[in-house]
Amino acid sequence: MTDAARPAGPTPLPDSGSQRIDPARSACVLIGVDKYPGGKGLAPLRSVRHNLIELRAALTDRSVWGIPEDRIVTVSNPKTSADICDPIRVAAQQAMDTLLVYYAGHGLLDRDDSRLCLTLPGSSEDKPETCVDAGYVRRAMKDNGAAMRRVLILDCCFSGKVLQMSPTGTVAADLGVRAAVKTLRDIKGSYVMTSATHDRPSHAPDPDECSAFTGELVDVLRQGIPDGPEMLGLHAVFREVRDRVVERDDLPTPQEPQDESQNGVGDLEFVRNLAVLPPLLAPDPLVPAPRGRRWPWAVVAGALGLGIGLAAMPAVDRWQEHTREPVPATGQCATGAFLLDHSDVLNKQEADGEKLAGLSGLALLPGGNGEALALADNEFNRVFPLRLGPSGSADTLEPSAQTATTLRPAPGGRLPAWMDAEALVVEKGGRTILVAAETGPAIRRFDLSTGRQIGADLPVPKEFKPWPVGGAQTGRTIEALALSPDGRHLYAGMEASLSQDGDSRGRNLLRIQRYKGTPGGAYVPDRQYAYRAADGLYLTELVAVGADQLLALERQYAVGIGNAVRVQRLSLTGAQDVTGEQALFRRPADEFVRSEKLFDLAECPPGDPGQVATKGPQANPLLQNAEGMALGEPWTTGNRKGWRPLYLVSDDNLNEVQITRFYLLAVRV
């Protein structure tokens, strides 16, 4: 591959494609080499790391295939041939249905005896003894275990050689070495997919994305094939991947993937076709249940003398710790959400001598250049201008802050000494902001350049005020604000239930007030919606996706357990106007806003130990007191085309044991 930027005997196989490849009885080994510190003539392949993370996320996604986390192992930068083959043999012993092996890295062709060589970090072009003979992989897959079928996927230069019975003597001009390879065809019930033909390189045009072949493979697994069957076989997936790769115009030379199926393996049902089937909803526990007994990778690997970690790794197993960089906290959180980055760089820091603390609101400024505002809910009522990432970066967080604007009353007016500002939105043009404060509660407009309030407070429903005027809980009033993309509607969400509304089996029954108006002009109450939060959670932020479509950020903290943070997708279409309803606890379900989980932060991959700082107990070290959320415009290029950046920020409550943390996710909404 070239980086352009830098127990029992086998069961007979079925004769038709009526049987599905069972993920619960299968096993996967994903192997990748991205670093070549000692490899003569071999450039690093940064794309390989993305390949391993994204392919694993797709294969473990229940909506796609759903192989259990403890039946898939990732081997990153193996040092020796045994480091590749031993995990394959372990997996072969465990797989009763299908053994799937994937390799990504440089592929070389031996000039003397026509072998395909899979490279290691220390491999060199002119030293075949520093590589791994592809025949060793074939033997490790074939010679032991009870799997009914074996699947090999190769993403490397000249990988199509694995489909040939004998050497061809072809000379690879750009590497200057001849090639041949041993076949895997003699494995009964096999399927092989390769990224290229026997005499062509594979490409990775963008080092910050997957390689061309694996990127298209992941996209087909996650997006499906329009007008295709409900279940896709390996060959159907391959045909779509091949067509996409062949049609790409960003590759320096043509690349055409190949495949071969023995005994109908390629026609067996493999993955769900998400283009025609709805995604599966993941279970919704407040705190993830304890993991059951794991597949005994560590036990078997220990007997083999391998350096495999004992702890579960959602994105990449801790393999060959001494040969690779620590795995960062990135990867798939749910079908429609992918954690790209997080940053604690502003935790306990100052901007022009003022503490960056108590950040409870977040809003992006117009222009799409990563500039934002963060609202502090402390007694100083400050709005900090931020830059969230380096210019031109779509998946990196490097937040920095500038001198804050202090919110001030209009000339001759006054503001409460303790405003407890919790949410803000930027109005069209970026010159004014609307800020929601729990004291009152109140919604006010401020001039961003001077910090002065403009005009009177927006009207707030009487029932949103604390006792004795209304039924709100003190300190849990208006916590969330969202402005529709056209500016015609403003949404204000209550953090907790009104006293008269109660809850439904532990789920807070909340009210969302919609206003109608124009940016910079008057907003008046329009409709009121009833919304059930998830079990035990409170509403902390809203963002508008489109007409009557919102995202809701919910969170809670429990002593001894830690935080829970999740984002819900809301649809107001069809929900009833509950303005004037005295109580919600007896209202029928079809009057409420429809919602579904987009992702739970506890289910995002935390990376290797030490990659995420934590203080106190947490189900996942990523979890903090997330209160602010902002949604960017859809990406128009790259592998995440059509997805949108979602930013979160946590409120440290001016507490030494809490962290000001920013998160960046890619979401499909």
Side-chain angles (χ1 to χ4, degrees):
M1 188 189 301
T2 62
D3 193 326
R6 323 175 240 245
T11 303
L13 288 168
D15 295 327
S16 68
S18 61
Q19 180 180 345
R20 187 192 178 194
I21 297 176
D22 183 4
R25 302 177 66 245
S26 298
C28 288
V29 181
L30 308 182
I31 306 160
V33 180
D34 68 316
K35 296 185 180 301
Y36 293 88
K40 179 181 177 182
L42 299 178
L45 287 170
R46 289 164 51 192
S47 290
V48 169
R49 178 166 294 278
H50 298 288
N51 289 358
L52 295 180
I53 292 173
E54 300 229 17
L55 183 58
R56 177 169 182 148
L59 294 175
T60 55
D61 187 343
R62 292 193 311 118
S63 290
V64 179
W65 189 35
I67 188 166
E69 286 281 358
D70 56 1
R71 299 188 73 84
I72 181 169
V73 65
T74 302
V75 182
S76 177
N77 292 314
K79 293 181 66 176
T80 67
S81 176
D83 291 340
I84 287 180
C85 294
D86 286 344
I88 294 174
R89 294 180 184 277
V90 172
Q93 290 290 343
Q94 299 298 326
M96 300 299 293
D97 187 294
T98 297
L99 170 65
L100 188 153
V101 175
Y102 166 91
Y103 171 87
H106 283 297
L108 299 178
L109 303 171
D110 184 85
R111 65 166 61 96
D112 293 327
D113 55 7
S114 300
R115 292 177 298 153
L116 175 65
C117 299
L118 307 181
T119 57
L120 301 167
S123 295
S124 295
E125 283 188 36
D126 56 351
K127 295 181 180 179
E129 68 273 13
T130 64
C131 303
V132 178
D133 189 333
Y136 296 162
V137 174
R138 172 195 62 82
R139 183 173 300 174
M141 294 180 69
K142 172 190 174 186
D143 288 351
N144 62 301
M148 293 188 290
R149 42 199 159 250
R150 275 82 165 176
V151 174
L152 176 64
I153 302 176
L154 294 179
D155 189 355
C156 62
C157 294
F158 319 117
S159 50
K161 280 294 182 182
V162 79
L163 302 177
Q164 297 187 339
M165 292 295 293
S166 60
T168 66
T170 300
V171 176
D174 56 339
L175 290 179
V177 289
R178 252 188 301 187
V181 69
K182 299 187 179 188
T183 183
L184 293 184
R185 191 178 268 161
D186 56 343
I187 294 179
K188 183 179 180 181
S190 69
Y191 179 84
V192 181
M193 187 187 303
T194 69
S195 61
T197 57
H198 69 282
D199 58 351
R200 293 282 184 176
S202 293
H203 299 293
D206 187 345
D208 294 324
E209 304 286 352
C210 292
S211 64
F213 170 77
T214 300
E216 299 296 353
L217 174 60
V218 169
D219 281 352
V220 172
L221 294 177
R222 286 180 172 165
Q223 299 171 11
I225 302 175
D227 302 322
E230 292 188 350
M231 298 295 297
L232 298 175
L234 283 159
H235 185 59
V237 171
F238 163 78
R239 288 197 306 267
E240 183 71 13
V241 171
R242 177 196 59 200
D243 292 347
R244 292 186 180 196
V245 172
V246 168
E247 292 172 1
R248 289 182 63 149
D249 58 6
D250 61 337
L251 305 182
T253 61
Q255 180 178 337
E256 184 175 357
Q258 308 286 300
D259 84 328
E260 181 180 79
S261 177
Q262 295 292 311
N263 287 1
V265 173
D267 296 324
L268 296 176
E269 292 181 346
F270 175 41
V271 294
R272 301 173 76 250
N273 185 359
L274 292 185
V276 299
L277 288 175
L280 297 175
L281 292 178
D284 298 334
L286 174 60
V287 178
R291 297 179 63 89
R293 188 173 67 88
R294 286 177 48 78
W295 192 29
W297 281 114
V299 176
V300 182
L304 294 172
L306 300 178
I308 186 169
L310 300 178
M313 291 297 300
V316 177
D317 289 279
R318 288 189 290 152
W319 194 286
Q320 297 298 324
E321 187 74 26
H322 54 289
T323 68
R324 64 166 178 82
E325 294 179 351
V327 175
T330 60
Q332 191 169 27
C333 308
T335 301
F338 195 97
L339 178 64
L340 298 173
D341 200 5
H342 82 283
S343 175
D344 299 346
V345 69
L346 295 184
N347 182 49
K348 306 302 182 284
Q349 298 301 305
E350 295 182 349
D352 202 3
E354 296 179 331
K355 290 183 179 179
L356 280 153
L359 304 185
S360 60
L362 188 66
L364 295 176
L365 288 170
N369 56 2
E371 293 182 335
L373 301 175
L375 176 68
D377 65 0
N378 53 41
E379 66 271 25
F380 298 107
N381 306 323
R382 294 190 178 106
V383 176
F384 289 92
L386 305 177
R387 178 171 287 279
L388 295 175
S391 179
S393 174
D395 56 6
T396 303
L397 271 175
E398 293 181 9
S400 59
Q402 300 173 7
T403 304
T405 297
T406 302
L407 301 182
R408 298 177 172 89
R414 61 184 301 272
L415 291 175
W418 175 263
M419 200 164 73
D420 198 7
E422 294 288 351
L424 83 161
V425 292
V426 179
E427 295 192 275
K428 192 173 183 179
R431 293 187 295 272
T432 58
I433 58 175
L434 294 171
V435 175
E438 288 201 297
T439 300
I443 303 173
R444 302 178 176 95
R445 176 177 286 113
F446 293 90
D447 182 284
L448 195 52
S449 62
T450 64
R452 295 286 184 184
Q453 181 175 351
I454 301 173
D457 296 1
L458 272 60
V460 172
K462 183 176 67 173
E463 62 268 24
F464 283 17
K465 298 179 181 293
W467 185 89
V469 178
Q473 303 176 39
T474 300
R476 291 192 184 273
T477 59
I478 298 178
E479 182 86 11
L481 276 186
L483 196 59
S484 64
D486 60 9
R488 294 177 57 193
H489 291 112
L490 175 71
Y491 301 90
M494 295 293 286
E495 180 180 8
S497 301
L498 302 179
S499 59
Q500 62 268 33
D501 288 337
D503 63 62
S504 175
R505 299 178 181 178
R507 299 178 64 181
N508 283 305
L509 304 182
L510 309 175
R511 297 193 185 223
I512 298 173
Q513 177 67 55
R514 189 176 79 175
Y515 293 78
K516 64 180 179 180
T518 57
Y523 282 99
V524 296
D526 176 26
R527 294 172 62 90
Q528 203 172 102
Y529 297 97
Y531 168 52
R532 288 190 186 92
D535 291 351
L537 302 189
Y538 296 89
L539 177 64
T540 65
E541 192 57 284
L542 294 168
V543 295
V545 178
D548 290 338
Q549 305 295 314
L550 303 173
L551 295 182
L553 174 62
E554 301 178 359
R555 65 96 175 90
Q556 174 59 301
Y557 175 80
V559 176
I561 297 176
N563 290 283
V565 177
R566 65 190 296 167
V567 174
Q568 296 282 125
R569 227 182 329 229
L570 310 187
S571 174
L572 308 184
T573 304
Q576 299 297 305
D577 183 0
V578 297
T579 302
E581 292 291 345
Q582 288 191 339
L584 299 180
F585 73 95
R586 288 184 178 175
R587 305 311 302 171
D590 61 359
E591 292 186 3
F592 283 75
V593 170
R594 295 196 307 274
S595 71
E596 63 175 351
K597 184 178 75 173
L598 179 59
F599 68 90
D600 188 324
L601 197 58
E603 296 170 2
C604 294
D608 279 348
Q611 292 300 294
V612 182
T614 187
K615 294 182 180 180
Q618 297 288 351
N620 182 323
L622 284 166
L623 291 165
Q624 282 295 313
N625 179 40
E627 290 200 9
M629 177 170 64
L631 182 67
E633 293 299 316
W635 283 298
T636 57
T637 59
N639 286 349
R640 286 185 284 275
K641 182 178 179 180
W643 291 54
R644 302 180 68 169
L646 183 72
Y647 299 90
L648 306 179
V649 65
S650 66
D651 180 355
D652 71 347
N653 289 312
L654 286 80
N655 191 324
E656 286 300 318
V657 300
Q658 292 180 274
I659 298 173
T660 297
R661 174 169 293 164
F662 288 82
Y663 308 83
L664 171 58
L665 298 100
V667 296
R668 187 167 52 199
V669 294

